[in-house]
Amino acid sequence: MQIKVNGAPQEIETGLSVTGLLVRNKVEQPDMVSVQLNGEFVQRDRFAATAFQEGDEVDFLYFMGGGR
Amino acid sequence: MPLSEEQLERFSRHIILKDVGVEGQEKILRGKVLIVGAGGLGAPAALYLAAAGVGTIGIVDGDVVDRTNLQRQVIHFTPDIGKAKVISAQEKILQINPGVAVQIHQERLFAHNILDIIRRYDFVIDGTDNFPAKFLINDACVLARKAFSHGGILRFDGQTMTYVPGSACYRCVFLQPPPKDAVPTCAQAGVLGAVAGMLGTIQAAEALKYLIGKGRLLTDRLLIFHALTMEFRTVRFQRNPACPVCGAHPTITGLQDYEQGTCDLRKPR
Ligand SMILES: [Zn+2]
């Protein structure tokens, strides 16, 4: 099934969780990312239990601390 | 007070803009913007705000200029090495536009002094380099109902969002500071100098839009760009009901200092 990750289509297996998607996309530090699913933030303790539906739109938002 | 001949000439390219005009320029001239951090983001922001005629520009920074700053902190010049950044910034601002009232705050912001400083300004630009400061600025601005621009840069990436009272805040996206040292810093990871300039000037444009009250601010959205591919993306979001400072059941009702993992790793002196 297909979902959109950061605006780009991605083919995933049915039943994949947010945690699984982070692994699949080689997000090395899951603590460093906020995940939005169809416009709502997924709470961190729900990452493992949240699975995707066809057409879901997922965004990974990363901490970026520089400025100087 | 009507604009002087000198001002009409200096700001003519603003004034001919339909959305600025004399009225908008007068708002800019009355505007007060605080720039926290005279570094990679604060430097270009300060230069453009000074040139634009912002009446009062506050600069917060407790550091002195060092050689590693010069690759991107374009308000500081080689002869400024060793000089306090607030002084160096003030000198350049006044050379660009002697009409600016520059307020220098040669210190760092903490829970105990931030509210007293930000209340004197209309808009705050976060040009800091560490999460404790970014979260402190967010919380103080939310609690004091003060508009601000958040900015972050790393390597070839930049991201920014604008907060106004009622819009989603930085904590709506990032609930709490990341574990200390979990995120690479500019000093550890590097940053393309021009990326700082791109982001700082976006923040300056947001401040000017806020002052003139035109257009649509970067609220409830995070603008993310990757300069290596030069792709820009905007992620929309809404206020997060679970946000600890602006959510339905806020747990943060006062300010606190977080442990300061410094980003800017300086050479030992
Ligand atoms: Zn919030």
Side-chain angles (χ1 to χ4, degrees), chain A residues 6-7 29 31-32 34 36 41 43 59-68, chain B residues 40-41 61 63 72-73 129 134 153 159 173-174 176 178 182-183 233 236-237:
Chain A
N6 296 337
Q29 296 175 299
D31 285 352
M32 294 298 92
S34 275
Q36 190 172 231
F41 291 102
Q43 296 201 24
D59 285 293
F60 297 154
L61 301 170
Y62 297 92
F63 277 107
M64 209 172 283
R68 292 193 90 88
Chain B
L41 301 176
D61 205 307
D63 279 347
R72 65 198 175 285
Q73 301 181 12
D129 62 351
K134 291 187 186 302
I153 48 172
Q159 62 184 27
V173 186
F174 302 106
Q176 57 192 23
V183 178
R233 195 162 72 87
R236 292 167 189 288
F237 44 79

mmCIF file of all heavy atoms in Angstrom, chain A residues 6-7 29 31-32 34 36 41 43 59-68, chain B residues 40-41 61 63 72-73 129 134 153 159 173-174 176 178 182-183 233 236-237:
data_model
loop_
_atom_site.group_PDB
_atom_site.id
_atom_site.type_symbol
_atom_site.label_atom_id
_atom_site.label_comp_id
_atom_site.label_asym_id
_atom_site.label_seq_id
_atom_site.Cartn_x
_atom_site.Cartn_y
_atom_site.Cartn_z
ATOM 1 N N ASN A 6 6.888 12.670 4.096
ATOM 2 C CA ASN A 6 7.506 13.974 3.795
ATOM 3 C C ASN A 6 7.177 14.429 2.373
ATOM 4 O O ASN A 6 8.020 14.957 1.655
ATOM 5 C CB ASN A 6 9.026 13.910 3.995
ATOM 6 C CG ASN A 6 9.398 13.636 5.439
ATOM 7 O OD1 ASN A 6 8.618 13.892 6.345
ATOM 8 N ND2 ASN A 6 10.578 13.095 5.651
ATOM 9 N N GLY A 7 5.952 14.174 1.972
ATOM 10 C CA GLY A 7 5.481 14.658 0.675
ATOM 11 C C GLY A 7 5.764 13.720 -0.492
ATOM 12 O O GLY A 7 5.248 13.932 -1.578
ATOM 13 N N GLN A 29 17.801 8.327 15.218
ATOM 14 C CA GLN A 29 17.466 8.723 16.584
ATOM 15 C C GLN A 29 15.983 9.090 16.642
ATOM 16 O O GLN A 29 15.625 10.253 16.474
ATOM 17 C CB GLN A 29 18.303 9.934 17.006
ATOM 18 C CG GLN A 29 19.789 9.654 17.066
ATOM 19 C CD GLN A 29 20.568 10.925 17.359
ATOM 20 O OE1 GLN A 29 20.526 11.889 16.606
ATOM 21 N NE2 GLN A 29 21.258 10.951 18.482
ATOM 22 N N ASP A 31 14.152 9.638 18.961
ATOM 23 C CA ASP A 31 13.864 10.682 19.944
ATOM 24 C C ASP A 31 13.973 12.071 19.349
ATOM 25 O O ASP A 31 13.534 13.048 19.936
ATOM 26 C CB ASP A 31 14.872 10.613 21.105
ATOM 27 C CG ASP A 31 14.574 9.457 22.037
ATOM 28 O OD1 ASP A 31 13.516 8.830 21.860
ATOM 29 O OD2 ASP A 31 15.395 9.190 22.923
ATOM 30 N N MET A 32 14.602 12.141 18.196
ATOM 31 C CA MET A 32 14.912 13.434 17.605
ATOM 32 C C MET A 32 13.886 13.865 16.582
ATOM 33 O O MET A 32 14.107 14.820 15.849
ATOM 34 C CB MET A 32 16.279 13.362 16.907
ATOM 35 C CG MET A 32 17.430 13.143 17.830
ATOM 36 S SD MET A 32 17.575 14.506 18.970
ATOM 37 C CE MET A 32 16.617 13.894 20.303
ATOM 38 N N SER A 34 9.675 14.499 15.518
ATOM 39 C CA SER A 34 8.241 14.555 15.783
ATOM 40 C C SER A 34 7.540 13.989 14.561
ATOM 41 O O SER A 34 7.956 14.250 13.437
ATOM 42 C CB SER A 34 7.780 15.993 15.997
ATOM 43 O OG SER A 34 7.977 16.387 17.317
ATOM 44 N N GLN A 36 4.018 13.602 12.410
ATOM 45 C CA GLN A 36 2.663 14.071 12.191
ATOM 46 C C GLN A 36 1.991 13.120 11.201
ATOM 47 O O GLN A 36 2.558 12.794 10.155
ATOM 48 C CB GLN A 36 2.690 15.498 11.657
ATOM 49 C CG GLN A 36 1.322 16.114 11.651
ATOM 50 C CD GLN A 36 1.311 17.599 11.313
ATOM 51 O OE1 GLN A 36 0.736 18.383 12.021
ATOM 52 N NE2 GLN A 36 1.917 17.967 10.204
ATOM 53 N N PHE A 41 -0.269 15.337 15.475
ATOM 54 C CA PHE A 41 0.951 14.755 16.027
ATOM 55 C C PHE A 41 0.645 13.424 16.699
ATOM 56 O O PHE A 41 -0.361 13.277 17.398
ATOM 57 C CB PHE A 41 1.592 15.723 17.023
ATOM 58 C CG PHE A 41 2.151 16.931 16.343
ATOM 59 C CD1 PHE A 41 1.468 18.139 16.364
ATOM 60 C CD2 PHE A 41 3.329 16.848 15.615
ATOM 61 C CE1 PHE A 41 1.966 19.248 15.701
ATOM 62 C CE2 PHE A 41 3.832 17.945 14.940
ATOM 63 C CZ PHE A 41 3.154 19.148 14.988
ATOM 64 N N GLN A 43 1.618 10.912 19.502
ATOM 65 C CA GLN A 43 2.386 10.928 20.744
ATOM 66 C C GLN A 43 3.425 9.811 20.701
ATOM 67 O O GLN A 43 3.171 8.726 20.177
ATOM 68 C CB GLN A 43 1.444 10.759 21.940
ATOM 69 C CG GLN A 43 0.482 11.930 22.038
ATOM 70 C CD GLN A 43 -0.120 12.090 23.425
ATOM 71 O OE1 GLN A 43 0.455 11.658 24.411
ATOM 72 N NE2 GLN A 43 -1.278 12.714 23.493
ATOM 73 N N ASP A 59 4.568 13.115 8.128
ATOM 74 C CA ASP A 59 5.713 14.027 8.075
ATOM 75 C C ASP A 59 6.612 13.793 9.266
ATOM 76 O O ASP A 59 6.136 13.660 10.398
ATOM 77 C CB ASP A 59 5.235 15.486 8.085
ATOM 78 C CG ASP A 59 4.669 15.901 6.741
ATOM 79 O OD1 ASP A 59 5.445 15.965 5.787
ATOM 80 O OD2 ASP A 59 3.440 16.121 6.653
ATOM 81 N N PHE A 60 7.901 13.729 8.995
ATOM 82 C CA PHE A 60 8.895 13.685 10.067
ATOM 83 C C PHE A 60 9.438 15.104 10.245
ATOM 84 O O PHE A 60 9.904 15.718 9.296
ATOM 85 C CB PHE A 60 10.074 12.776 9.687
ATOM 86 C CG PHE A 60 9.714 11.339 9.472
ATOM 87 C CD1 PHE A 60 10.488 10.539 8.640
ATOM 88 C CD2 PHE A 60 8.622 10.766 10.117
ATOM 89 C CE1 PHE A 60 10.168 9.197 8.440
ATOM 90 C CE2 PHE A 60 8.299 9.427 9.922
ATOM 91 C CZ PHE A 60 9.073 8.643 9.078
ATOM 92 N N LEU A 61 9.375 15.585 11.463
ATOM 93 C CA LEU A 61 9.917 16.921 11.748
ATOM 94 C C LEU A 61 11.076 16.754 12.718
ATOM 95 O O LEU A 61 10.913 16.178 13.791
ATOM 96 C CB LEU A 61 8.824 17.810 12.355
ATOM 97 C CG LEU A 61 7.605 17.990 11.456
ATOM 98 C CD1 LEU A 61 6.470 18.673 12.201
ATOM 99 C CD2 LEU A 61 7.984 18.811 10.238
ATOM 100 N N TYR A 62 12.223 17.266 12.313
ATOM 101 C CA TYR A 62 13.436 17.056 13.105
ATOM 102 C C TYR A 62 13.795 18.280 13.930
ATOM 103 O O TYR A 62 13.606 19.415 13.490
ATOM 104 C CB TYR A 62 14.618 16.741 12.184
ATOM 105 C CG TYR A 62 14.444 15.463 11.414
ATOM 106 C CD1 TYR A 62 13.870 15.469 10.148
ATOM 107 C CD2 TYR A 62 14.831 14.247 11.969
ATOM 108 C CE1 TYR A 62 13.701 14.295 9.442
ATOM 109 C CE2 TYR A 62 14.665 13.073 11.268
ATOM 110 C CZ TYR A 62 14.099 13.094 10.004
ATOM 111 O OH TYR A 62 13.924 11.932 9.310
ATOM 112 N N PHE A 63 14.345 18.019 15.080
ATOM 113 C CA PHE A 63 14.953 19.097 15.862
ATOM 114 C C PHE A 63 16.101 19.703 15.069
ATOM 115 O O PHE A 63 16.903 18.983 14.471
ATOM 116 C CB PHE A 63 15.545 18.523 17.155
ATOM 117 C CG PHE A 63 14.553 18.338 18.250
ATOM 118 C CD1 PHE A 63 14.124 17.071 18.608
ATOM 119 C CD2 PHE A 63 14.072 19.433 18.954
ATOM 120 C CE1 PHE A 63 13.227 16.896 19.645
ATOM 121 C CE2 PHE A 63 13.179 19.262 19.997
ATOM 122 C CZ PHE A 63 12.753 17.996 20.335
ATOM 123 N N MET A 64 16.165 20.995 15.066
ATOM 124 C CA MET A 64 17.286 21.676 14.427
ATOM 125 C C MET A 64 17.688 22.828 15.328
ATOM 126 O O MET A 64 16.954 23.795 15.472
ATOM 127 C CB MET A 64 16.861 22.179 13.047
ATOM 128 C CG MET A 64 17.978 22.259 12.056
ATOM 129 S SD MET A 64 17.344 22.631 10.429
ATOM 130 C CE MET A 64 16.683 21.049 9.935
ATOM 131 N N GLY A 65 18.827 22.695 15.957
ATOM 132 C CA GLY A 65 19.137 23.617 17.047
ATOM 133 C C GLY A 65 20.125 24.718 16.727
ATOM 134 O O GLY A 65 20.349 25.599 17.543
ATOM 135 N N GLY A 66 20.730 24.681 15.551
ATOM 136 C CA GLY A 66 21.762 25.666 15.262
ATOM 137 C C GLY A 66 21.192 27.050 15.030
ATOM 138 O O GLY A 66 19.994 27.222 14.837
ATOM 139 N N GLY A 67 22.069 28.028 15.039
ATOM 140 C CA GLY A 67 21.621 29.387 14.782
ATOM 141 C C GLY A 67 22.766 30.378 14.761
ATOM 142 O O GLY A 67 22.630 31.476 14.263
ATOM 143 N N ARG A 68 23.875 29.946 15.302
ATOM 144 C CA ARG A 68 24.961 30.920 15.400
ATOM 145 C C ARG A 68 25.838 30.943 14.172
ATOM 146 O O ARG A 68 25.998 29.984 13.487
ATOM 147 C CB ARG A 68 25.824 30.590 16.613
ATOM 148 C CG ARG A 68 25.085 30.819 17.887
ATOM 149 C CD ARG A 68 26.017 30.808 19.039
ATOM 150 N NE ARG A 68 26.519 32.132 19.294
ATOM 151 C CZ ARG A 68 25.907 33.008 20.082
ATOM 152 N NH1 ARG A 68 24.765 32.711 20.615
ATOM 153 N NH2 ARG A 68 26.425 34.181 20.298
ATOM 154 N N GLY B 40 24.804 33.530 13.330
ATOM 155 C CA GLY B 40 24.523 33.184 11.935
ATOM 156 C C GLY B 40 23.167 33.667 11.460
ATOM 157 O O GLY B 40 23.021 34.127 10.322
ATOM 158 N N LEU B 41 22.144 33.558 12.315
ATOM 159 C CA LEU B 41 20.804 34.012 11.949
ATOM 160 C C LEU B 41 20.610 35.485 12.303
ATOM 161 O O LEU B 41 20.031 36.254 11.524
ATOM 162 C CB LEU B 41 19.740 33.177 12.681
ATOM 163 C CG LEU B 41 19.778 31.678 12.418
ATOM 164 C CD1 LEU B 41 18.741 30.961 13.273
ATOM 165 C CD2 LEU B 41 19.537 31.397 10.945
ATOM 166 N N ASP B 61 23.314 39.228 23.251
ATOM 167 C CA ASP B 61 24.416 38.278 23.049
ATOM 168 C C ASP B 61 25.475 38.539 24.105
ATOM 169 O O ASP B 61 25.841 39.690 24.338
ATOM 170 C CB ASP B 61 25.014 38.398 21.627
ATOM 171 C CG ASP B 61 25.674 37.101 21.185
ATOM 172 O OD1 ASP B 61 26.537 36.592 21.930
ATOM 173 O OD2 ASP B 61 25.321 36.579 20.110
ATOM 174 N N ASP B 63 28.501 36.970 23.968
ATOM 175 C CA ASP B 63 29.779 36.469 23.461
ATOM 176 C C ASP B 63 30.625 37.541 22.791
ATOM 177 O O ASP B 63 30.142 38.624 22.485
ATOM 178 C CB ASP B 63 29.528 35.368 22.421
ATOM 179 C CG ASP B 63 29.246 34.026 23.077
ATOM 180 O OD1 ASP B 63 29.478 33.907 24.293
ATOM 181 O OD2 ASP B 63 28.799 33.116 22.360
ATOM 182 N N ARG B 72 30.102 33.069 8.499
ATOM 183 C CA ARG B 72 28.655 33.214 8.295
ATOM 184 C C ARG B 72 28.035 34.390 9.046
ATOM 185 O O ARG B 72 26.954 34.844 8.687
ATOM 186 C CB ARG B 72 27.936 31.921 8.709
ATOM 187 C CG ARG B 72 28.058 31.640 10.187
ATOM 188 C CD ARG B 72 27.762 30.205 10.559
ATOM 189 N NE ARG B 72 28.010 30.013 11.983
ATOM 190 C CZ ARG B 72 29.212 29.914 12.538
ATOM 191 N NH1 ARG B 72 30.283 29.970 11.789
ATOM 192 N NH2 ARG B 72 29.349 29.778 13.833
ATOM 193 N N GLN B 73 28.662 34.872 10.090
ATOM 194 C CA GLN B 73 28.039 35.920 10.909
ATOM 195 C C GLN B 73 28.409 37.274 10.323
ATOM 196 O O GLN B 73 29.265 37.987 10.824
ATOM 197 C CB GLN B 73 28.475 35.759 12.371
ATOM 198 C CG GLN B 73 28.080 34.379 12.917
ATOM 199 C CD GLN B 73 28.452 34.166 14.373
ATOM 200 O OE1 GLN B 73 28.811 35.101 15.080
ATOM 201 N NE2 GLN B 73 28.337 32.923 14.827
ATOM 202 N N ASP B 129 21.445 29.227 19.398
ATOM 203 C CA ASP B 129 22.073 28.021 18.865
ATOM 204 C C ASP B 129 21.893 26.816 19.779
ATOM 205 O O ASP B 129 22.631 25.855 19.667
ATOM 206 C CB ASP B 129 23.572 28.268 18.668
ATOM 207 C CG ASP B 129 24.257 28.584 19.984
ATOM 208 O OD1 ASP B 129 23.554 28.773 20.990
ATOM 209 O OD2 ASP B 129 25.491 28.629 20.008
ATOM 210 N N LYS B 134 16.041 28.034 22.937
ATOM 211 C CA LYS B 134 14.899 28.021 22.022
ATOM 212 C C LYS B 134 13.592 27.724 22.773
ATOM 213 O O LYS B 134 12.555 28.329 22.506
ATOM 214 C CB LYS B 134 15.112 27.016 20.890
ATOM 215 C CG LYS B 134 16.216 27.477 19.930
ATOM 216 C CD LYS B 134 16.330 26.591 18.720
ATOM 217 C CE LYS B 134 17.526 26.996 17.859
ATOM 218 N NZ LYS B 134 17.501 28.392 17.395
ATOM 219 N N ILE B 153 19.168 25.936 12.056
ATOM 220 C CA ILE B 153 19.969 25.567 10.876
ATOM 221 C C ILE B 153 20.949 24.473 11.264
ATOM 222 O O ILE B 153 21.342 24.363 12.425
ATOM 223 C CB ILE B 153 20.776 26.759 10.304
ATOM 224 C CG1 ILE B 153 21.524 27.510 11.421
ATOM 225 C CG2 ILE B 153 19.898 27.696 9.515
ATOM 226 C CD1 ILE B 153 22.482 28.581 10.918
ATOM 227 N N GLN B 159 15.163 25.497 9.056
ATOM 228 C CA GLN B 159 13.721 25.462 9.262
ATOM 229 C C GLN B 159 13.301 26.647 10.113
ATOM 230 O O GLN B 159 14.048 27.142 10.950
ATOM 231 C CB GLN B 159 13.252 24.134 9.856
ATOM 232 C CG GLN B 159 13.791 23.803 11.218
ATOM 233 C CD GLN B 159 13.347 22.411 11.674
ATOM 234 O OE1 GLN B 159 13.089 21.524 10.877
ATOM 235 N NE2 GLN B 159 13.262 22.221 12.971
ATOM 236 N N VAL B 173 5.028 21.353 18.294
ATOM 237 C CA VAL B 173 5.734 20.434 17.393
ATOM 238 C C VAL B 173 6.735 19.591 18.176
ATOM 239 O O VAL B 173 6.788 18.376 18.037
ATOM 240 C CB VAL B 173 6.474 21.224 16.293
ATOM 241 C CG1 VAL B 173 7.087 20.262 15.286
ATOM 242 C CG2 VAL B 173 5.539 22.204 15.601
ATOM 243 N N PHE B 174 7.532 20.271 18.979
ATOM 244 C CA PHE B 174 8.587 19.599 19.740
ATOM 245 C C PHE B 174 8.289 19.795 21.222
ATOM 246 O O PHE B 174 8.590 20.841 21.781
ATOM 247 C CB PHE B 174 9.948 20.181 19.376
ATOM 248 C CG PHE B 174 10.277 20.069 17.915
ATOM 249 C CD1 PHE B 174 10.240 21.185 17.087
ATOM 250 C CD2 PHE B 174 10.600 18.848 17.348
ATOM 251 C CE1 PHE B 174 10.542 21.084 15.734
ATOM 252 C CE2 PHE B 174 10.898 18.737 15.996
ATOM 253 C CZ PHE B 174 10.866 19.852 15.190
ATOM 254 N N GLN B 176 9.362 18.816 24.107
ATOM 255 C CA GLN B 176 10.378 19.153 25.100
ATOM 256 C C GLN B 176 11.761 19.079 24.481
ATOM 257 O O GLN B 176 11.935 18.474 23.418
ATOM 258 C CB GLN B 176 10.289 18.218 26.298
ATOM 259 C CG GLN B 176 10.420 16.759 25.908
ATOM 260 C CD GLN B 176 10.028 15.851 27.065
ATOM 261 O OE1 GLN B 176 9.284 16.252 27.954
ATOM 262 N NE2 GLN B 176 10.536 14.644 27.059
ATOM 263 N N PRO B 178 15.348 18.026 23.326
ATOM 264 C CA PRO B 178 15.887 16.680 23.116
ATOM 265 C C PRO B 178 16.912 16.364 24.198
ATOM 266 O O PRO B 178 17.410 17.281 24.856
ATOM 267 C CB PRO B 178 16.567 16.787 21.752
ATOM 268 C CG PRO B 178 16.931 18.228 21.621
ATOM 269 C CD PRO B 178 15.848 18.988 22.336
ATOM 270 N N ALA B 182 22.132 14.988 22.066
ATOM 271 C CA ALA B 182 21.571 14.024 21.116
ATOM 272 C C ALA B 182 21.556 14.590 19.701
ATOM 273 O O ALA B 182 21.642 13.856 18.740
ATOM 274 C CB ALA B 182 20.163 13.629 21.533
ATOM 275 N N VAL B 183 21.441 15.897 19.606
ATOM 276 C CA VAL B 183 21.383 16.523 18.296
ATOM 277 C C VAL B 183 22.734 17.153 17.996
ATOM 278 O O VAL B 183 23.265 17.878 18.813
ATOM 279 C CB VAL B 183 20.296 17.624 18.284
ATOM 280 C CG1 VAL B 183 20.257 18.321 16.938
ATOM 281 C CG2 VAL B 183 18.953 17.020 18.611
ATOM 282 N N ARG B 233 9.971 23.003 1.561
ATOM 283 C CA ARG B 233 8.752 22.272 1.868
ATOM 284 C C ARG B 233 8.093 22.964 3.050
ATOM 285 O O ARG B 233 8.765 23.468 3.942
ATOM 286 C CB ARG B 233 9.132 20.847 2.275
ATOM 287 C CG ARG B 233 8.037 19.844 2.300
ATOM 288 C CD ARG B 233 8.647 18.445 2.277
ATOM 289 N NE ARG B 233 9.284 18.098 3.547
ATOM 290 C CZ ARG B 233 8.633 17.545 4.563
ATOM 291 N NH1 ARG B 233 7.353 17.267 4.461
ATOM 292 N NH2 ARG B 233 9.261 17.262 5.673
ATOM 293 N N ARG B 236 2.242 21.775 7.363
ATOM 294 C CA ARG B 236 1.194 22.448 8.135
ATOM 295 C C ARG B 236 0.904 21.680 9.408
ATOM 296 O O ARG B 236 1.001 20.458 9.434
ATOM 297 C CB ARG B 236 -0.106 22.489 7.331
ATOM 298 C CG ARG B 236 -0.030 23.364 6.163
ATOM 299 C CD ARG B 236 -1.199 23.163 5.192
ATOM 300 N NE ARG B 236 -0.855 23.919 4.021
ATOM 301 C CZ ARG B 236 -0.873 25.247 3.996
ATOM 302 N NH1 ARG B 236 -1.299 25.940 5.039
ATOM 303 N NH2 ARG B 236 -0.490 25.899 2.922
ATOM 304 N N PHE B 237 0.516 22.388 10.428
ATOM 305 C CA PHE B 237 0.048 21.711 11.639
ATOM 306 C C PHE B 237 -0.886 22.653 12.368
ATOM 307 O O PHE B 237 -1.079 23.809 11.959
ATOM 308 C CB PHE B 237 1.209 21.267 12.527
ATOM 309 C CG PHE B 237 2.286 22.288 12.691
ATOM 310 C CD1 PHE B 237 2.134 23.343 13.559
ATOM 311 C CD2 PHE B 237 3.454 22.199 11.944
ATOM 312 C CE1 PHE B 237 3.131 24.293 13.703
ATOM 313 C CE2 PHE B 237 4.466 23.155 12.082
ATOM 314 C CZ PHE B 237 4.290 24.198 12.964
#
